[in-house]
Amino acid sequence: MALLKLEDVVVDYGSIHALKKINMEVDSGEIITLIGANGAGKSTTMKAIMGLVPCKSGKITFDGTDITNWETKKAVQAGIILSPEGRQVFPRYSVKDNLFLGAYLRPRQEIPESLEMVYNLLPKLKERENQVAGSLSGGEQQMLAIGRAMMAKPKMLLLDEPSLGLAPLIINEIFGMIDEIRTLGTTILLVEQNARIALKHSDRAYVLETGNIVLSNKAEAMLQSDEVQKAYFGVL
Amino acid sequence: MLVQQIVNGFTIGSVYALVAIGFTMVFGVLELTNFSNSSLYMFGAYITFLFYTATGIHFFLAFGISIVLTGLLGYGIDRFALRQLRKKKAPKLSGLITTLGMSMVVDNAIMVFFGTDSKSFENFLDFGKIYIGSAVVTWTQIIILIAACILMITLSVITYRMKIGKAMGAIAQNQDAAKLMGIDTDKIISLTFIISGFLACIAGTMVAMYYRSIDTAMGSSIGIKIFAAAVLGGVGVLPGAVVGGLVLGIVETIVSAYISTGYRDAISFSILILVLLVMPNGLFGKKAINKV
Amino acid sequence: MKKLLALLLCGTLSLSALTGCGAKEEAAEMPAQTLEEGSEEAEGSSEADATGEGTINHNGKNKMAMFGPLTGDNLQYGVKIKNGAELALNQFNEEHGTDFTIEFMDDKGDPNEAVNLANKIISDDTVFCALAGYGSSCAMATAPVFDEADMLLMGVAASHADLPGMGDYVFPVPMSARWESVGFAEIMKECFGAGKLAILYQNTDHGVQTCEFIKEAWESYGGEIVVYESFVPGDTKDFSAVLSKIKTAEPDVFYASAAYSDAAQIFMQAKQLELDAQYVGPGMCLNEEFTKLIGDSIDGTYVLSSTPCFLPSVLEAGNVDEATKKFIQDYEAAYGESPDGFSAQGYDSVKIVLDSALKAGTTDTPAVAEQILAIRSYPGLSGLNMAYNENKEMNKGIYTFEIKDGNFVPVNQ
């Protein structure tokens, strides 16, 4: 049984057809990547799942429940957490306060445990606990965004472009963490322009091209594919 | 005379502070200049007046009803106008003009319904006066100052200690990200407007009692002062609104007494401009860190 | 579709700009209805038989045009003036069987709007006289227009000393600010001695002018002006700062020139601050709203006015003439409230014009103006022994009142 399923999902921005009947599936425990060029509709897919943009038609199911066009708050309560494109931490708040906000809907007693888990996962955050988020480096902000998302104890974590604007060394670090997160029991759906590294760390992948899913395969296979190589590995 | 002037300045400053708090909260959360705030202030006073004089009910009951209704009006302005604009991702200017329009609608409705002449308003806080040296301080003034302090402290506790305050700050910094935390942004924004309405009504009614009268110009005459007080203190920062209000009240009074009554506003605002030239973010404002 | 909507919106907006509509349109709707009713009433009485004692050859020029604030902050004054004018018109037409009419227009208290209306008025051939309703600014703004057109202009509530000089046919109805101020200063001197006087005045043409004259007169009596401060009206209700200043100066007499709502605040706050002095207020306070605002908190305050007070307390005190009693009765019957000085001035302005037209036998401006100028000891409702001097300034007596138990009681000299 798929944990997350998108069936014929259509999203329009006014007269622009951003997603034209896409179909995707993520099974529990998987790491799935959605790759594609700029403007292909990757972020739109994430936003549609989270209820930040409306679906014109189609169905999104999570854990057996129809969550199409659900209010963001409900999606979060159901256990789907998004770490958005561009990190979007709360710049005036400290690292700690940002993390606490991630746990906004959780009961108070459970928070210390989550905080410890996040600090174990991302020790750099502990170091900079009281630092104002706006003054962190790009990589640290990405870690914070992920940590904040983990504070919500997600069943499924959506990561939108975690490598954007980061140096290769940091990117590796981040993807290492993504592996670790899987071992903690969280399913992950990943959106990336940096196809190579994403595919290296995923089980399966989808390729999105101007609103259409054009390819769906095991990540291994895609890495070897000439087609994909030509089209997407230039974008490193 | 100086003591007297300071007492008077504090009184008028407390009123400014009360209304400025609501104004600055809305700005803090939404980056929206809420022009309708001063209209709610007048609305609150008039509704209290209406319920008290039209029905025979106890004054404080009328006051309570008015607080609720004013809060409701604040809620209404957000829910039925501003929220729709937010949904459509309209530019900030649309929201600003909407609040301006709402302000005119409320003001004019009051003028049409009640007439433009001043109405006499009974002072239920008249418990006499005390003397500090040669200065006369009425209990009404003392109560107004205390009420402003209590409300300020309560709101500060809410916004700086409680979770909901953190949520407001999150919405202020990034509305979409706040939603991703599971925060019900619409609900919290509505709450901000309701609180604004409560505060405006309390201030308006207390002022009505202090001056024993209400008139249809009271909203517009205080509007610019509130804006100035909030900006002076650092717009969006709660203690800033309080300090800004008090400072403005005292500066105004001192200028009026020692320099000129006729040029009072011109000079007060010049001082405000000077302060802002030195501290552009206001007394308590912080420079935004925008490295994200 | 969107474009069509946008075009429609632009069209509507341009139209409303052309017709000079302001943001207070909503408020304008309501009084506009009574406006129509008023002129209809006036027109209705033109159906009466034209068999009166004196005859007036008006050749169709039988309309007067009055403009005043029927919306906006001062609508209460505009309405009172209009009511007085309407009453005078109806009573005159009934008494003499004439068919005069009056058109009421809304200048919103804005001199620019008043000038717009003035231009409309002079192009109407049936109008022989214009009346500027409230205040001096609208009257003075429109005076050049009417002077150019050689049309009679009555300034119903315009006391600015410069008004009479603005045209050969421009007449103020209230007392000239100059003579009124001198009169006030004289009475204050008579009652309280020429000692230390503190003056707080509103920063309007009227306030500035009247207090300048009072100051001049007071100093000529050897008195001392200890505080002379202005304030911006409608801007604030808090006068504590300047009142504390006045308190420190220890005046014998404290005169405030302000509209009644501000005057109420000023005196009440002065009492709160325990400012010990003889308070004196202007005629603008002589109304019910003022008494409601002050309650019995400022008893002992004197109020001076060149127009009488029509409140019940004055009636009770006796020595009110029959004409005034009748006026109060008629006004209350027609409008459900007591008249005040403004209503009386509205009444008198119309009556003066019509009485003069009757004497002249025509509505031609020069003839009517001649008769107006010749007025001496006119039995007007808005003053004692009304007369015009050679400069077209109105001269009358001053009424003195003291506030006792929250009511105005006449003080006999």
Side-chain angles (χ1 to χ4, degrees), chain A residues 72-73 76 84 88 90-93 97 101-102 104 134 136 148, chain B residues 163 166-167 169-170 173-174 177-183 289 291-292:
Chain A
T72 310
K73 179 177 170 181
V76 171
Q88 307 213 30
F90 298 111
R92 294 204 293 268
Y93 281 160
D97 279 339
L101 275 170
Y104 188 76
L136 296 172
R148 186 178 63 178
Chain B
K163 206 160 87 167
K166 280 286 185 286
Q173 294 173 63
N174 188 327
K179 280 198 201 145
L180 292 175
M181 304 293 102
I183 294 174
I289 303 177
K291 224 179 143 199
V292 190

PDB file of all heavy atoms in Angstrom, chain A residues 72-73 76 84 88 90-93 97 101-102 104 134 136 148, chain B residues 163 166-167 169-170 173-174 177-183 289 291-292:
ATOM      1  N   THR A  72      -3.612  23.313   4.960  1.00  0.00           N
ATOM      2  CA  THR A  72      -2.239  22.965   5.332  1.00  0.00           C
ATOM      3  C   THR A  72      -2.137  22.395   6.742  1.00  0.00           C
ATOM      4  O   THR A  72      -1.461  21.404   7.007  1.00  0.00           O
ATOM      5  CB  THR A  72      -1.341  24.213   5.248  1.00  0.00           C
ATOM      6  OG1 THR A  72      -1.549  24.851   3.988  1.00  0.00           O
ATOM      7  CG2 THR A  72       0.110  23.855   5.402  1.00  0.00           C
ATOM      8  N   LYS A  73      -2.865  23.061   7.667  1.00  0.00           N
ATOM      9  CA  LYS A  73      -2.806  22.639   9.065  1.00  0.00           C
ATOM     10  C   LYS A  73      -3.178  21.164   9.206  1.00  0.00           C
ATOM     11  O   LYS A  73      -2.556  20.414   9.962  1.00  0.00           O
ATOM     12  CB  LYS A  73      -3.772  23.515   9.860  1.00  0.00           C
ATOM     13  CG  LYS A  73      -3.854  23.183  11.314  1.00  0.00           C
ATOM     14  CD  LYS A  73      -4.779  24.166  12.018  1.00  0.00           C
ATOM     15  CE  LYS A  73      -5.035  23.671  13.435  1.00  0.00           C
ATOM     16  NZ  LYS A  73      -5.926  24.536  14.155  1.00  0.00           N
ATOM     17  N   VAL A  76      -0.432  18.873   8.026  1.00  0.00           N
ATOM     18  CA  VAL A  76       0.628  18.804   9.032  1.00  0.00           C
ATOM     19  C   VAL A  76       0.222  17.887  10.167  1.00  0.00           C
ATOM     20  O   VAL A  76       0.996  17.056  10.638  1.00  0.00           O
ATOM     21  CB  VAL A  76       0.953  20.221   9.580  1.00  0.00           C
ATOM     22  CG1 VAL A  76       1.885  20.150  10.762  1.00  0.00           C
ATOM     23  CG2 VAL A  76       1.550  21.077   8.484  1.00  0.00           C
ATOM     24  N   PRO A  84      10.461  23.742   2.943  1.00  0.00           N
ATOM     25  CA  PRO A  84      10.194  24.396   1.666  1.00  0.00           C
ATOM     26  C   PRO A  84      11.429  24.845   0.903  1.00  0.00           C
ATOM     27  O   PRO A  84      12.539  24.894   1.434  1.00  0.00           O
ATOM     28  CB  PRO A  84       9.371  25.622   2.078  1.00  0.00           C
ATOM     29  CG  PRO A  84       9.798  25.922   3.458  1.00  0.00           C
ATOM     30  CD  PRO A  84      10.197  24.620   4.088  1.00  0.00           C
ATOM     31  N   GLN A  88      13.422  28.981   4.169  1.00  0.00           N
ATOM     32  CA  GLN A  88      12.354  29.737   4.822  1.00  0.00           C
ATOM     33  C   GLN A  88      12.295  29.527   6.321  1.00  0.00           C
ATOM     34  O   GLN A  88      11.260  29.191   6.888  1.00  0.00           O
ATOM     35  CB  GLN A  88      10.990  29.408   4.195  1.00  0.00           C
ATOM     36  CG  GLN A  88      11.054  29.591   2.692  1.00  0.00           C
ATOM     37  CD  GLN A  88       9.774  30.072   2.096  1.00  0.00           C
ATOM     38  OE1 GLN A  88       9.019  30.773   2.741  1.00  0.00           O
ATOM     39  NE2 GLN A  88       9.556  29.694   0.853  1.00  0.00           N
ATOM     40  N   PHE A  90      12.596  31.175  10.147  1.00  0.00           N
ATOM     41  CA  PHE A  90      12.114  32.441  10.683  1.00  0.00           C
ATOM     42  C   PHE A  90      13.334  33.267  11.088  1.00  0.00           C
ATOM     43  O   PHE A  90      13.949  33.004  12.114  1.00  0.00           O
ATOM     44  CB  PHE A  90      11.171  32.226  11.854  1.00  0.00           C
ATOM     45  CG  PHE A  90       9.930  31.469  11.471  1.00  0.00           C
ATOM     46  CD1 PHE A  90       9.717  30.172  11.927  1.00  0.00           C
ATOM     47  CD2 PHE A  90       9.000  32.033  10.620  1.00  0.00           C
ATOM     48  CE1 PHE A  90       8.595  29.467  11.541  1.00  0.00           C
ATOM     49  CE2 PHE A  90       7.868  31.328  10.233  1.00  0.00           C
ATOM     50  CZ  PHE A  90       7.665  30.037  10.689  1.00  0.00           C
ATOM     51  N   PRO A  91      13.695  34.249  10.276  1.00  0.00           N
ATOM     52  CA  PRO A  91      15.011  34.872  10.433  1.00  0.00           C
ATOM     53  C   PRO A  91      15.243  35.581  11.761  1.00  0.00           C
ATOM     54  O   PRO A  91      16.373  35.653  12.224  1.00  0.00           O
ATOM     55  CB  PRO A  91      15.063  35.879   9.270  1.00  0.00           C
ATOM     56  CG  PRO A  91      13.653  36.112   8.885  1.00  0.00           C
ATOM     57  CD  PRO A  91      12.917  34.869   9.200  1.00  0.00           C
ATOM     58  N   ARG A  92      14.183  36.129  12.368  1.00  0.00           N
ATOM     59  CA  ARG A  92      14.411  36.883  13.594  1.00  0.00           C
ATOM     60  C   ARG A  92      14.410  36.000  14.841  1.00  0.00           C
ATOM     61  O   ARG A  92      14.750  36.448  15.923  1.00  0.00           O
ATOM     62  CB  ARG A  92      13.353  37.979  13.748  1.00  0.00           C
ATOM     63  CG  ARG A  92      13.469  39.041  12.679  1.00  0.00           C
ATOM     64  CD  ARG A  92      12.869  40.342  13.133  1.00  0.00           C
ATOM     65  NE  ARG A  92      11.420  40.280  13.312  1.00  0.00           N
ATOM     66  CZ  ARG A  92      10.530  40.577  12.366  1.00  0.00           C
ATOM     67  NH1 ARG A  92      10.939  40.940  11.177  1.00  0.00           N
ATOM     68  NH2 ARG A  92       9.246  40.503  12.617  1.00  0.00           N
ATOM     69  N   TYR A  93      14.007  34.765  14.680  1.00  0.00           N
ATOM     70  CA  TYR A  93      13.973  33.878  15.834  1.00  0.00           C
ATOM     71  C   TYR A  93      15.271  33.077  15.927  1.00  0.00           C
ATOM     72  O   TYR A  93      15.940  32.830  14.934  1.00  0.00           O
ATOM     73  CB  TYR A  93      12.798  32.910  15.714  1.00  0.00           C
ATOM     74  CG  TYR A  93      11.467  33.539  16.094  1.00  0.00           C
ATOM     75  CD1 TYR A  93      10.276  32.984  15.662  1.00  0.00           C
ATOM     76  CD2 TYR A  93      11.398  34.661  16.904  1.00  0.00           C
ATOM     77  CE1 TYR A  93       9.059  33.514  16.014  1.00  0.00           C
ATOM     78  CE2 TYR A  93      10.180  35.216  17.257  1.00  0.00           C
ATOM     79  CZ  TYR A  93       9.013  34.648  16.813  1.00  0.00           C
ATOM     80  OH  TYR A  93       7.812  35.182  17.155  1.00  0.00           O
ATOM     81  N   ASP A  97      14.098  28.590  18.894  1.00  0.00           N
ATOM     82  CA  ASP A  97      12.707  28.991  18.696  1.00  0.00           C
ATOM     83  C   ASP A  97      12.163  28.459  17.384  1.00  0.00           C
ATOM     84  O   ASP A  97      10.998  28.078  17.287  1.00  0.00           O
ATOM     85  CB  ASP A  97      12.576  30.521  18.740  1.00  0.00           C
ATOM     86  CG  ASP A  97      12.535  31.044  20.165  1.00  0.00           C
ATOM     87  OD1 ASP A  97      12.216  30.245  21.067  1.00  0.00           O
ATOM     88  OD2 ASP A  97      12.826  32.228  20.367  1.00  0.00           O
ATOM     89  N   LEU A 101       8.929  25.987  16.995  1.00  0.00           N
ATOM     90  CA  LEU A 101       7.797  26.252  16.105  1.00  0.00           C
ATOM     91  C   LEU A 101       7.490  25.049  15.236  1.00  0.00           C
ATOM     92  O   LEU A 101       6.346  24.787  14.894  1.00  0.00           O
ATOM     93  CB  LEU A 101       8.073  27.475  15.227  1.00  0.00           C
ATOM     94  CG  LEU A 101       7.716  28.778  15.912  1.00  0.00           C
ATOM     95  CD1 LEU A 101       8.231  29.957  15.121  1.00  0.00           C
ATOM     96  CD2 LEU A 101       6.207  28.899  16.066  1.00  0.00           C
ATOM     97  N   GLY A 102       8.544  24.296  14.907  1.00  0.00           N
ATOM     98  CA  GLY A 102       8.303  23.084  14.137  1.00  0.00           C
ATOM     99  C   GLY A 102       7.391  22.129  14.892  1.00  0.00           C
ATOM    100  O   GLY A 102       6.599  21.397  14.310  1.00  0.00           O
ATOM    101  N   TYR A 104       4.960  22.956  16.792  1.00  0.00           N
ATOM    102  CA  TYR A 104       3.799  23.751  17.205  1.00  0.00           C
ATOM    103  C   TYR A 104       2.587  22.912  17.555  1.00  0.00           C
ATOM    104  O   TYR A 104       1.874  23.183  18.509  1.00  0.00           O
ATOM    105  CB  TYR A 104       3.443  24.739  16.090  1.00  0.00           C
ATOM    106  CG  TYR A 104       2.390  25.736  16.461  1.00  0.00           C
ATOM    107  CD1 TYR A 104       2.691  26.816  17.293  1.00  0.00           C
ATOM    108  CD2 TYR A 104       1.089  25.615  15.984  1.00  0.00           C
ATOM    109  CE1 TYR A 104       1.734  27.742  17.623  1.00  0.00           C
ATOM    110  CE2 TYR A 104       0.118  26.545  16.316  1.00  0.00           C
ATOM    111  CZ  TYR A 104       0.449  27.605  17.132  1.00  0.00           C
ATOM    112  OH  TYR A 104      -0.500  28.522  17.462  1.00  0.00           O
ATOM    113  N   GLY A 134      18.544  34.160  10.999  1.00  0.00           N
ATOM    114  CA  GLY A 134      18.886  34.933   9.817  1.00  0.00           C
ATOM    115  C   GLY A 134      20.385  35.081   9.603  1.00  0.00           C
ATOM    116  O   GLY A 134      20.848  35.388   8.507  1.00  0.00           O
ATOM    117  N   LEU A 136      22.625  32.639  10.118  1.00  0.00           N
ATOM    118  CA  LEU A 136      23.282  31.363   9.834  1.00  0.00           C
ATOM    119  C   LEU A 136      23.704  31.298   8.374  1.00  0.00           C
ATOM    120  O   LEU A 136      23.157  31.997   7.524  1.00  0.00           O
ATOM    121  CB  LEU A 136      22.316  30.202  10.098  1.00  0.00           C
ATOM    122  CG  LEU A 136      21.835  29.984  11.530  1.00  0.00           C
ATOM    123  CD1 LEU A 136      20.747  28.922  11.542  1.00  0.00           C
ATOM    124  CD2 LEU A 136      22.982  29.554  12.419  1.00  0.00           C
ATOM    125  N   ARG A 148      13.772  21.536  11.839  1.00  0.00           N
ATOM    126  CA  ARG A 148      12.457  22.077  12.198  1.00  0.00           C
ATOM    127  C   ARG A 148      11.357  21.140  11.732  1.00  0.00           C
ATOM    128  O   ARG A 148      10.389  20.877  12.438  1.00  0.00           O
ATOM    129  CB  ARG A 148      12.307  23.458  11.584  1.00  0.00           C
ATOM    130  CG  ARG A 148      11.066  24.199  11.986  1.00  0.00           C
ATOM    131  CD  ARG A 148      11.018  25.573  11.365  1.00  0.00           C
ATOM    132  NE  ARG A 148      10.959  25.535   9.917  1.00  0.00           N
ATOM    133  CZ  ARG A 148      10.864  26.608   9.146  1.00  0.00           C
ATOM    134  NH1 ARG A 148      10.829  27.801   9.705  1.00  0.00           N
ATOM    135  NH2 ARG A 148      10.820  26.496   7.837  1.00  0.00           N
TER     136      ARG A 148
ATOM    137  N   LYS B 163       2.712  30.489  23.506  1.00  0.00           N
ATOM    138  CA  LYS B 163       2.926  29.927  22.176  1.00  0.00           C
ATOM    139  C   LYS B 163       2.290  30.793  21.095  1.00  0.00           C
ATOM    140  O   LYS B 163       2.851  30.983  20.026  1.00  0.00           O
ATOM    141  CB  LYS B 163       2.310  28.521  22.149  1.00  0.00           C
ATOM    142  CG  LYS B 163       2.954  27.600  21.126  1.00  0.00           C
ATOM    143  CD  LYS B 163       2.688  26.156  21.428  1.00  0.00           C
ATOM    144  CE  LYS B 163       1.393  25.682  20.812  1.00  0.00           C
ATOM    145  NZ  LYS B 163       1.275  24.206  20.847  1.00  0.00           N
ATOM    146  N   LYS B 166       4.443  33.435  19.835  1.00  0.00           N
ATOM    147  CA  LYS B 166       5.471  32.959  18.909  1.00  0.00           C
ATOM    148  C   LYS B 166       4.867  32.755  17.527  1.00  0.00           C
ATOM    149  O   LYS B 166       5.472  33.041  16.498  1.00  0.00           O
ATOM    150  CB  LYS B 166       6.068  31.639  19.404  1.00  0.00           C
ATOM    151  CG  LYS B 166       7.110  31.792  20.484  1.00  0.00           C
ATOM    152  CD  LYS B 166       8.414  32.333  19.898  1.00  0.00           C
ATOM    153  CE  LYS B 166       9.539  32.392  20.891  1.00  0.00           C
ATOM    154  NZ  LYS B 166       9.457  33.427  21.876  1.00  0.00           N
ATOM    155  N   ALA B 167       3.620  32.259  17.534  1.00  0.00           N
ATOM    156  CA  ALA B 167       2.955  32.030  16.251  1.00  0.00           C
ATOM    157  C   ALA B 167       2.758  33.348  15.518  1.00  0.00           C
ATOM    158  O   ALA B 167       2.961  33.450  14.308  1.00  0.00           O
ATOM    159  CB  ALA B 167       1.617  31.335  16.467  1.00  0.00           C
ATOM    160  N   GLY B 169       4.574  36.002  15.752  1.00  0.00           N
ATOM    161  CA  GLY B 169       5.864  36.425  15.231  1.00  0.00           C
ATOM    162  C   GLY B 169       6.232  35.659  13.978  1.00  0.00           C
ATOM    163  O   GLY B 169       6.792  36.207  13.041  1.00  0.00           O
ATOM    164  N   ALA B 170       5.863  34.359  13.987  1.00  0.00           N
ATOM    165  CA  ALA B 170       6.167  33.543  12.816  1.00  0.00           C
ATOM    166  C   ALA B 170       5.392  34.051  11.609  1.00  0.00           C
ATOM    167  O   ALA B 170       5.935  34.199  10.519  1.00  0.00           O
ATOM    168  CB  ALA B 170       5.808  32.087  13.104  1.00  0.00           C
ATOM    169  N   GLN B 173       6.949  37.040  10.139  1.00  0.00           N
ATOM    170  CA  GLN B 173       8.183  36.853   9.376  1.00  0.00           C
ATOM    171  C   GLN B 173       7.975  36.119   8.068  1.00  0.00           C
ATOM    172  O   GLN B 173       8.610  36.404   7.079  1.00  0.00           O
ATOM    173  CB  GLN B 173       9.203  36.106  10.240  1.00  0.00           C
ATOM    174  CG  GLN B 173       9.648  36.936  11.437  1.00  0.00           C
ATOM    175  CD  GLN B 173      10.515  36.134  12.367  1.00  0.00           C
ATOM    176  OE1 GLN B 173      11.589  35.696  11.981  1.00  0.00           O
ATOM    177  NE2 GLN B 173      10.045  35.928  13.577  1.00  0.00           N
ATOM    178  N   ASN B 174       7.082  35.142   8.077  1.00  0.00           N
ATOM    179  CA  ASN B 174       6.890  34.361   6.858  1.00  0.00           C
ATOM    180  C   ASN B 174       5.572  33.596   6.964  1.00  0.00           C
ATOM    181  O   ASN B 174       5.496  32.566   7.609  1.00  0.00           O
ATOM    182  CB  ASN B 174       8.051  33.380   6.689  1.00  0.00           C
ATOM    183  CG  ASN B 174       8.012  32.689   5.346  1.00  0.00           C
ATOM    184  OD1 ASN B 174       6.954  32.415   4.791  1.00  0.00           O
ATOM    185  ND2 ASN B 174       9.189  32.399   4.822  1.00  0.00           N
ATOM    186  N   ALA B 177       5.584  29.880   5.579  1.00  0.00           N
ATOM    187  CA  ALA B 177       6.326  28.965   6.446  1.00  0.00           C
ATOM    188  C   ALA B 177       5.543  28.712   7.726  1.00  0.00           C
ATOM    189  O   ALA B 177       5.533  27.595   8.247  1.00  0.00           O
ATOM    190  CB  ALA B 177       7.706  29.549   6.764  1.00  0.00           C
ATOM    191  N   ALA B 178       4.884  29.758   8.227  1.00  0.00           N
ATOM    192  CA  ALA B 178       4.082  29.589   9.442  1.00  0.00           C
ATOM    193  C   ALA B 178       2.998  28.547   9.214  1.00  0.00           C
ATOM    194  O   ALA B 178       2.739  27.691  10.058  1.00  0.00           O
ATOM    195  CB  ALA B 178       3.463  30.919   9.853  1.00  0.00           C
ATOM    196  N   LYS B 179       2.378  28.616   8.052  1.00  0.00           N
ATOM    197  CA  LYS B 179       1.336  27.621   7.734  1.00  0.00           C
ATOM    198  C   LYS B 179       1.921  26.225   7.766  1.00  0.00           C
ATOM    199  O   LYS B 179       1.284  25.275   8.218  1.00  0.00           O
ATOM    200  CB  LYS B 179       0.765  27.891   6.343  1.00  0.00           C
ATOM    201  CG  LYS B 179      -0.238  28.980   6.310  1.00  0.00           C
ATOM    202  CD  LYS B 179      -1.078  28.905   5.038  1.00  0.00           C
ATOM    203  CE  LYS B 179      -1.689  30.259   4.778  1.00  0.00           C
ATOM    204  NZ  LYS B 179      -1.798  30.582   3.387  1.00  0.00           N
ATOM    205  N   LEU B 180       3.162  26.102   7.277  1.00  0.00           N
ATOM    206  CA  LEU B 180       3.788  24.789   7.229  1.00  0.00           C
ATOM    207  C   LEU B 180       4.066  24.222   8.614  1.00  0.00           C
ATOM    208  O   LEU B 180       4.300  23.029   8.762  1.00  0.00           O
ATOM    209  CB  LEU B 180       5.087  24.859   6.432  1.00  0.00           C
ATOM    210  CG  LEU B 180       4.900  25.116   4.937  1.00  0.00           C
ATOM    211  CD1 LEU B 180       6.247  25.280   4.263  1.00  0.00           C
ATOM    212  CD2 LEU B 180       4.139  23.961   4.298  1.00  0.00           C
ATOM    213  N   MET B 181       4.059  25.101   9.614  1.00  0.00           N
ATOM    214  CA  MET B 181       4.254  24.603  10.971  1.00  0.00           C
ATOM    215  C   MET B 181       2.943  24.075  11.531  1.00  0.00           C
ATOM    216  O   MET B 181       2.889  23.601  12.654  1.00  0.00           O
ATOM    217  CB  MET B 181       4.743  25.743  11.886  1.00  0.00           C
ATOM    218  CG  MET B 181       5.995  26.432  11.435  1.00  0.00           C
ATOM    219  SD  MET B 181       7.455  25.384  11.500  1.00  0.00           S
ATOM    220  CE  MET B 181       7.652  24.935   9.795  1.00  0.00           C
ATOM    221  N   GLY B 182       1.870  24.226  10.733  1.00  0.00           N
ATOM    222  CA  GLY B 182       0.569  23.807  11.221  1.00  0.00           C
ATOM    223  C   GLY B 182      -0.160  24.940  11.909  1.00  0.00           C
ATOM    224  O   GLY B 182      -1.217  24.755  12.501  1.00  0.00           O
ATOM    225  N   ILE B 183       0.388  26.161  11.824  1.00  0.00           N
ATOM    226  CA  ILE B 183      -0.256  27.298  12.462  1.00  0.00           C
ATOM    227  C   ILE B 183      -1.467  27.727  11.626  1.00  0.00           C
ATOM    228  O   ILE B 183      -1.375  27.824  10.406  1.00  0.00           O
ATOM    229  CB  ILE B 183       0.738  28.482  12.556  1.00  0.00           C
ATOM    230  CG1 ILE B 183       1.886  28.114  13.495  1.00  0.00           C
ATOM    231  CG2 ILE B 183       0.042  29.736  13.050  1.00  0.00           C
ATOM    232  CD1 ILE B 183       2.990  29.144  13.536  1.00  0.00           C
ATOM    233  N   ILE B 289      16.854  41.363   9.710  1.00  0.00           N
ATOM    234  CA  ILE B 289      17.973  40.605   9.132  1.00  0.00           C
ATOM    235  C   ILE B 289      17.403  39.813   7.986  1.00  0.00           C
ATOM    236  O   ILE B 289      16.527  38.972   8.163  1.00  0.00           O
ATOM    237  CB  ILE B 289      18.573  39.624  10.158  1.00  0.00           C
ATOM    238  CG1 ILE B 289      19.006  40.410  11.380  1.00  0.00           C
ATOM    239  CG2 ILE B 289      19.727  38.870   9.551  1.00  0.00           C
ATOM    240  CD1 ILE B 289      19.543  39.547  12.489  1.00  0.00           C
ATOM    241  N   LYS B 291      18.836  37.689   5.580  1.00  0.00           N
ATOM    242  CA  LYS B 291      19.801  36.874   4.878  1.00  0.00           C
ATOM    243  C   LYS B 291      19.157  35.642   4.264  1.00  0.00           C
ATOM    244  O   LYS B 291      19.781  34.898   3.544  1.00  0.00           O
ATOM    245  CB  LYS B 291      20.877  36.421   5.882  1.00  0.00           C
ATOM    246  CG  LYS B 291      22.273  36.541   5.326  1.00  0.00           C
ATOM    247  CD  LYS B 291      23.287  36.098   6.356  1.00  0.00           C
ATOM    248  CE  LYS B 291      24.414  35.360   5.653  1.00  0.00           C
ATOM    249  NZ  LYS B 291      25.177  34.528   6.551  1.00  0.00           N
ATOM    250  N   VAL B 292      17.900  35.453   4.584  1.00  0.00           N
ATOM    251  CA  VAL B 292      17.235  34.261   4.080  1.00  0.00           C
ATOM    252  C   VAL B 292      17.067  34.376   2.577  1.00  0.00           C
ATOM    253  O   VAL B 292      17.179  33.419   1.857  1.00  0.00           O
ATOM    254  CB  VAL B 292      15.858  34.075   4.723  1.00  0.00           C
ATOM    255  CG1 VAL B 292      15.286  32.735   4.385  1.00  0.00           C
ATOM    256  CG2 VAL B 292      15.977  34.207   6.230  1.00  0.00           C
TER     257      VAL B 292
END
